[in-house]
C-alpha cells in the first residue's frame, strides 16, 4: 500500500484555526470546579465558588469527609478509613466486594509493615483467606501480599511484591475508595480536566502522524494563544 502523504498546514492557517476555537468562561469555570471537587480541595472550591458565582455540584462537607478518609489511608490507618466510609454510606462497601477486599488487603500490609506478624497471619486467615477462596483474583492478591512475609527485607524480593510497601500502594487504595465515594454521589470518578488532557495528548499524536505543523518559535505562539483562551484575556 502507498504511504499516505501528510497534509501541510501553514503558519497563517494554523493561527487562524487556533483563534477560531472559542471556549466560554462558564465552561472553563465548570472544569475548574469539577477538578477542585474531584481532587478534594475543599477550601479552594469554596473560594472559587464565591468568586465565580457558581454552585458546587456536591456539599462541601462531603469533600472534607473524602479527604479525611484519604488521609487516614495514606498514613496507614485503614480501620479509621473503613469506619468513616461506613459512617458516610455503608452501602459503598456492602455493594463493592472488590473495594472491601482491597481495604482488608491494605490492613494486612500495614500489619506486616509494623512487624506484627502474628496479627498479620491471624487476620489473613480469618478475614482474607475466605474471600480468596471465592475469587481467583482475590487469592492471587492475597498470595502476593503474604509473599512479603516470605521475603521479609531480602534484596531478592520481587518488585511486584516490594511495591506493596510503597507509599504508592496506599495512594492507589485511597484513590479507589475516593472513586467509589464519588460514584455513590453520582459524581465522575475522574476530573474532566484530566480526561481532556489525555484526549489532547491523543489528538496531538494523531495530528502529528497525518499533518506537518508549524514548529519552532510558532510553538511558543501557540502556547500563548492557549493561555489567552484559558485566562479569558
Amino acid at each position: 500500500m502507498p504511504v499516505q502523504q501528510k497534509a501541510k498546514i501553514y503558519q497563517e492557517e494554523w493561527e487562524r484555526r487556533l483563534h477560531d476555537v472559542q471556549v466560554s468562561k462558564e465552561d472553563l469555570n465548570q472544569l475548574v470546579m469539577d477538578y477542585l471537587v474531584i481532587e478534594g480541595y475543599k477550601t479552594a472550591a469554596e473560594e472559587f465558588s464565591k468568586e465565580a458565582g457558581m454552585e458546587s455540584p456536591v456539599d462541601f462537607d462531603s469533600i472534607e469527609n473524602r479527604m479525611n478518609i484519604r488521609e487516614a489511608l495514606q498514613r496507614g490507618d485503614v480501620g479509621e478509613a473503613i469506619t468513616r466510609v461506613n459512617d458516610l454510606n455503608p452501602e459503598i462497601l456492602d455493594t463493592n466486594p472488590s473495594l472491601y477486599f482491597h481495604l482488608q488487603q491494605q490492613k494486612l500490609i500495614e500489619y506486616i509493615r509494623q512487624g506484627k506478624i502474628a496479627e498479620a497471619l491471624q487476620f489473613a486467615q480469618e478475614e482474607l483467606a475466605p474471600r480468596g477462596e471465592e475469587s481467583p483474583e482475590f487469592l492471587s492478591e492475597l498470595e502476593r501480599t503474604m509473599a512479603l512475609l516470605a521475603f521479609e527485607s531480602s534484596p531478592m524480593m520481587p518488585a511486584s511484591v516490594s511495591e506493596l510497601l510503597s507509599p504508592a500502594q496506599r495512594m492507589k487504595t485511597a484513590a479507589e475508595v475516593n472513586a467509589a465515594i464519588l460514584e455513590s454521589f453520582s459524581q465522575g470518578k475522574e476530573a474532566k480536566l484530566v480526561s481532556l488532557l489525555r484526549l489532547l495528548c491523543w489528538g496531538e499524536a494523531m495530528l502529528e502522524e497525518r499533518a506537518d505543523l508549524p514548529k519552532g518559535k510558532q510553538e511558543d505562539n501557540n502556547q500563548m494563544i492557549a493561555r489567552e483562551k484559558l485566562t479569558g484575556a
Side-chain angles (χ1 to χ4, degrees):
M1 293 181 63
V3 178
Q4 184 176 4
Q5 187 174 5
K6 287 186 176 182
K8 179 68 175 179
I9 300 179
Y10 293 95
Q11 179 174 322
E12 294 79 7
E13 181 185 2
W14 183 245
E15 289 183 7
R16 179 184 60 78
R17 291 188 182 188
L18 287 176
H19 280 294
D20 285 346
V21 176
Q22 299 298 321
V23 181
S24 72
K25 192 69 174 179
E26 181 180 352
D27 288 340
L28 290 175
N29 287 345
Q30 291 288 352
L31 280 174
V32 172
M33 176 60 77
D34 176 76
Y35 177 81
L36 295 175
V37 168
I38 297 295
E39 295 300 316
Y41 297 110
K42 178 190 175 186
T43 302
E46 288 177 323
E47 291 299 323
F48 185 77
S49 176
K50 294 175 183 177
E51 293 179 5
M54 61 187 301
E55 295 183 1
S56 169
V58 299
D59 187 340
F60 287 121
D61 288 339
S62 70
I63 300 177
E64 185 172 5
N65 289 332
R66 283 191 294 115
M67 291 309 98
N68 288 334
I69 292 169
R70 175 185 288 180
E71 289 169 4
L73 288 169
Q74 289 179 340
R75 66 172 179 266
D77 195 342
V78 182
E80 180 184 342
I82 291 175
T83 298
R84 286 182 176 273
V85 171
N86 285 329
D87 289 343
L88 193 62
N89 183 354
E91 290 187 2
I92 293 175
L93 297 182
D94 290 343
T95 59
N96 195 333
S98 177
L99 175 62
Y100 185 70
F101 175 84
H102 288 151
L103 281 168
Q104 297 294 73
Q105 178 190 18
Q106 189 64 46
K107 193 170 184 177
L108 175 60
I109 292 170
E110 300 303 337
Y111 275 132
I112 297 173
R113 186 197 304 275
Q114 297 166 19
K116 298 179 179 179
I117 306 307
E119 290 93 330
L121 291 172
Q122 182 177 356
F123 183 77
Q125 183 177 6
E126 295 178 356
E127 298 294 336
L128 293 175
R131 298 181 184 277
E133 294 175 357
E134 299 171 1
S135 166
E137 177 190 353
F138 294 167
L139 181 59
S140 175
E141 283 299 303
L142 176 57
E143 291 174 345
R144 185 164 72 106
T145 306
M146 295 304 292
L148 288 169
L149 296 175
F151 286 98
E152 293 185 355
S153 58
S154 169
M156 301 299 293
M157 183 184 295
S160 61
V161 176
S162 62
E163 68 184 11
L164 293 174
L165 295 174
S166 71
Q169 172 64 25
R170 287 177 171 176
M171 293 176 66
K172 177 182 176 182
T173 304
E176 185 178 356
V177 173
N178 187 56
I181 295 173
L182 287 168
E183 187 175 18
S184 74
F185 291 147
S186 299
Q187 286 288 114
K189 297 181 181 181
E190 181 180 66
K192 294 182 177 64
L193 186 58
V194 175
S195 300
L196 284 174
L197 288 174
R198 189 180 297 117
L199 180 61
L200 176 62
C201 291
W202 175 84
E204 287 181 344
M206 291 294 99
L207 196 56
E208 287 179 357
E209 286 183 8
R210 302 178 183 181
D212 287 325
L213 304 176
K215 298 184 182 296
K217 292 183 179 180
Q218 185 57 33
E219 292 179 349
D220 295 333
N221 194 30
N222 294 342
Q223 293 173 5
M224 181 184 69
I225 294 172
R227 283 197 298 271
E228 289 176 355
K229 293 183 179 296
L230 288 174
T231 59

